[in-house]
Amino acid sequence: MGLVATALIQSSSTVSSIIVGMVAGGLPIEIAIPLIMGANIGTSLTSTIVSLGHVRNGEEFGRAFSAATVHDAFNIVAVAILLPLELLFSPLQRSSEALAALLVSDATVDMKGMNFMKTLLAPASDTLGAAVGWLPGVWSGIALIVIGVALILFVVSAIGKLLRKVMVGRAKSIMHASVGRGPLSGMASGTVITVLVQSSSTTTSLIVPLAGTGVFSLKQIYPFTLGTNIGTCITALLAATAITGPTAVLALQIAIVHLLFNVLGIVLIYGLPFLRQLPPTIAVTLAGLAQKNKLYVVAYMGGLFFVLPLALIGFSQL
């Protein structure tokens, strides 16, 4: 569900923010963790679509497609390793619970009497509440959920457009200055740019054309895309700070799970030599197939991001 939702909305930041709100509203952490993992895979669809801009030039398309799908491959491998571990031993849930308790208890001392977010949002929430107050029973709550999701989509889209206009030039200069200087520098630049534009989809979409034209190699882009995974976690963390009351610790916990999942994935996959080359190998293989026949591209994108997850959802309902 997390994968399909993110693929449809084209924003893991939006989906992760919605998940934070759902957890604050009572969704169990055990269900929210797989949703977050699915959102991590779904976000890489955008860069794969961007790579299609090079489809007329076989060589350029191969480089661009491999640069885009290395992000997919890494996220899929991370989920394949960490989801079973989480189901068996719950390392993400336990560690995030401990960290969230520490952070919320510290924040409460300073912010309990302040509640500046509640003060800022009170006029809007009161207006929305009054607007749907005439609806009977549960329907007023459902209307608020629909309006809230619509507002999130609008605001994230508007902020993304604004930040792209303001930050694209600067982002490109940062990439040219740091992407080619080694793995740590590449990860750091990917993280920083994603924090600035609040969208890993935007960041990876910026780098794919540069890979297609040969400015950067797959080896240089690989760590950069890993940095975008960390940078995109800032949105969920910011969304969690807006939650007050007894569920604030749960909202912060799922945001921390998102961060820990991405950090742990990098440590395990990129840190272990025998796993490090697995995502690039998958990406190069997919690019080779895509160059031979464009139907592989359609099958890959449709199958991974829509057919397979929807089939799994259907199977789980039987």
Side-chain angles (χ1 to χ4, degrees):
M1 288 177 68
L3 197 163
V4 172
T6 308
L8 289 172
I9 295 174
Q10 294 284 289
S11 173
S12 63
S13 300
T14 302
V15 173
S16 60
S17 298
I18 292 172
I19 293 170
V20 167
M22 290 169 67
V23 170
L27 181 74
I29 291 288
E30 295 86 352
I31 295 176
I33 290 175
L35 285 173
I36 283 284
M37 291 182 178
N40 245 45
I41 298 174
T43 192
S44 50
L45 173 61
T46 310
S47 57
T48 308
I49 293 172
V50 169
S51 70
L52 299 180
H54 300 269
V55 74
R56 292 183 180 180
N57 186 316
E59 226 176 285
E60 281 192 16
F61 178 62
R63 290 194 295 261
F65 195 76
S66 62
T69 52
V70 74
H71 195 198
D72 311 7
F74 178 86
N75 289 334
I76 291 168
V77 172
V79 171
I81 293 172
L82 292 176
L83 180 58
L85 289 175
E86 183 63 25
L87 293 175
L88 290 171
F89 307 110
S90 304
L92 295 174
Q93 183 179 344
R94 292 178 182 179
S95 53
S96 62
E97 186 177 1
L99 286 171
L102 288 173
L103 293 173
V104 168
S105 61
D106 289 340
T108 306
V109 175
D110 298 325
M111 298 178 65
K112 189 174 181 180
M114 203 166 156
N115 279 334
F116 66 90
M117 287 301 298
K118 185 178 180 180
T119 304
L120 287 172
L121 298 174
S125 61
D126 292 343
T127 302
L128 288 175
V132 300
W134 58 275
L135 291 170
V138 74
W139 291 106
S140 61
I142 292 173
L144 281 174
I145 291 172
V146 173
I147 293 169
V149 171
L151 285 173
I152 288 173
L153 295 175
F154 169 74
V155 170
V156 169
S157 175
I159 290 175
K161 289 177 182 177
L162 178 63
L163 287 174
R164 278 195 290 275
K165 290 180 180 178
V166 175
M167 299 304 302
V168 164
R170 187 176 178 184
K172 283 186 178 179
S173 66
I174 293 173
M175 282 193 285
H176 281 288
S178 59
V179 170
R181 293 185 180 175
L184 291 179
S185 178
M187 288 181 198
S189 61
T191 301
V192 170
I193 295 171
T194 305
V195 168
L196 289 175
V197 300
Q198 292 282 292
S199 171
S200 60
S201 300
T202 301
T203 311
T204 51
S205 297
L206 284 170
I207 199 76
V208 166
L210 296 175
T213 54
V215 175
F216 294 116
S217 66
L218 181 61
K219 184 179 179 181
Q220 292 170 322
I221 285 172
Y222 179 25
F224 179 86
T225 59
L226 305 188
T228 67
N229 274 3
I230 298 176
T232 195
C233 298
I234 189 68
T235 310
L237 290 167
L238 289 173
T241 63
I243 307 296
T244 57
T247 58
V249 65
L250 295 175
L252 184 58
Q253 182 181 351
I254 191 61
I256 292 173
V257 164
H258 193 198
L259 178 62
L260 290 177
F261 168 70
N262 284 308
V263 171
L264 189 56
I266 292 171
V267 170
L268 285 177
I269 299 171
Y270 199 84
L272 298 175
F274 65 92
L275 287 176
R276 185 181 303 157
Q277 292 306 312
L278 183 57
T281 301
I282 295 172
V284 170
T285 303
L286 288 171
L289 292 172
Q291 281 181 286
K292 290 178 182 177
N293 192 332
K294 300 304 181 286
L295 289 177
Y296 283 113
V297 180
V298 177
Y300 169 73
M301 294 173 64
L304 174 63
F305 294 102
F306 298 105
V307 176
L308 178 60
L310 287 173
L312 289 172
I313 292 171
F315 179 75
S316 70
Q317 300 301 309
L318 296 177

